Amino acid sequence: MSPTTLHLRSEIKPREERSALTPATTKALVNAGYKINVERSPGRIFKDEEFVEAGATLVAEGSWSSTPKEHLIIGLKELPEDDFPLEHTHIQFAHCFKGQSNWREVLSRFPRGGGTLYDLEFLTDDTGRRIAAFGYHAGYAGAAVAIMVWHWQLQHGKEPIPSLTSYENIGLLVEDMQARLKAGVEKSGRSPRVIVIGALGRSGKGALDLFRAIGIPNSNLLEWDMAETANGGPFPEIVESDIFINAIYLSKSTPLFLDPTIVATPSRKLSVIGDVSCDPTSEFNPIKVYNACTTFSKPTVLVEVQNDPPLSVIAIDHLPSLLPRESSEAFSAQLLPHLLNVDKRSQDKVWLRAEKLFKEKAASL
C-alpha cells in the first residue's frame, strides 16, 4: 500500500510567511511513514532546504491543483480566487462557515468537485476546544500593532502608519514595543489605558502578555470576558480606554461592543481598535464602525469621528505573521498528533467531526 501523501501549499496571501508544516513536524510525519511534498516558496519563513533535510520532496509552487486526487492538500490561508471545482481533500482555514463575504462561492467549489474541506478552525476535541490555534500569537501580535499605532498617532495624528514587517523572534518585537511605549509615554505624559475583551481566551492572554512584557502596569489593563459583556452593549468602558483589543471567539450570541453613536461620545479617549477576531463581514461582528479587513501594507482604517483623538482600526486577518517562525512552530506542533492520524481519519473523532460539519455546511448551499 502506498504511503499517504501530504502536499504543503505555498501561501499566496501577501506577506504571509507562516507555514502549516515546519521542518520539525515534517520530519515527524516522514518518520511515521508519510510522504511529504513541499511546494517551493520564496516567502515562507522556513527555507526550502530545511524541508529537504527533514525528508520532504520539493515540488513546483502552485502545483497542488494538478497533483493526484488522493493527495491531501494542506495550507493555512485561502486558496487563489478561482471557480474551478476542487477534487482534493483540503486542510486549511477557509473562512466560509460563519457567513463571511463570498462564503457560498468559496464553499461550493468543494462539493462541485467532489472534494472535502477540513477547516482548521473547526478541528476540535471532545469538549469543543480547538486542537490547534494561532490565537495566542494573534493576540500577542495584535497588541504589539496596537502599541505601534498608538505611538504613531501621538506623533502623526491621522496620517496612516506605514507598512508592517515581521520580526525574527519575540525578543526583538518586545524590545521595539518597549521603545515605542516609552516614547509614547514621554509624549503623552501617561501610559495608555487598555481594555481587552476575551481576556480568558488564547488571544486575550497573548495580548495581555505583550502589554505586561513591555511595561504597561496592571492598573491600566482592564480584563473583560463573557461575564462582563453578558448584559449587552455598547460599552462606555471601551471608549473610556485608549486601546481596545477585541479577542473574542465570534458567535451569534456576541453582544454589540461599539457602534457609531458611542464612538461619537465627546469625552471619548479611544484611539486604537485592535480587532484580533477580525470578522468584519460577518453579521455577528460586534464592532459596527468598520466593514473591511486591513493588511500588513495598509494596517489601519480610519473611523469617521468629529472630535479628537483620531480613531484607527487594525483588522489584519493573519496577525501571527508578525512572528512567523514562532507562531508556525507552535501551531504545527499542536496539529501534529492529529496529522499523524490523518491516514486513519475515518476512525478519528477530530477528523470525523470536521467532516460532518463540512457536509452540513455544504448541504445548506
Side-chain angles (χ1 to χ4, degrees), residues 144-159:
V145 179
I147 290 295
M148 293 183 203
V149 174
W150 173 78
H151 167 251
W152 177 266
Q153 288 175 335
L154 291 171
Q155 308 290 332
H156 304 280
K158 293 182 179 181
E159 182 182 337

Side-chain angles (χ1 to χ4, degrees), residues 322-334:
L322 200 68
L323 291 165
R325 182 175 295 273
E326 286 152 312
S327 63
S328 296
E329 289 172 342
F331 179 85
S332 196
Q334 294 166 19

Side-chain angles (χ1 to χ4, degrees), residues 2 35 86 160 227 245 276 292 301:
S2 299
K35 179 174 173 54
L86 298 170
I245 301 294
V276 176
V301 61

Side-chain angles (χ1 to χ4, degrees), residues 190-243:
R190 61 185 179 86
S191 189
R193 173 184 164 92
V194 178
I195 181 170
V196 177
I197 301 186
L200 298 180
R202 290 183 176 109
S203 296
K205 289 177 180 177
L208 289 165
D209 280 356
L210 179 282
F211 290 132
R212 291 187 174 112
I214 66 173
I216 295 180
N218 283 329
S219 58
N220 280 42
L221 298 175
L222 191 59
E223 303 176 39
W224 278 24
D225 210 272
M226 294 178 68
E228 289 79 9
T229 61
N231 292 330
F235 300 103
E237 291 87 349
I238 297 177
V239 296
E240 292 167 1
S241 301
D242 300 288
I243 297 172

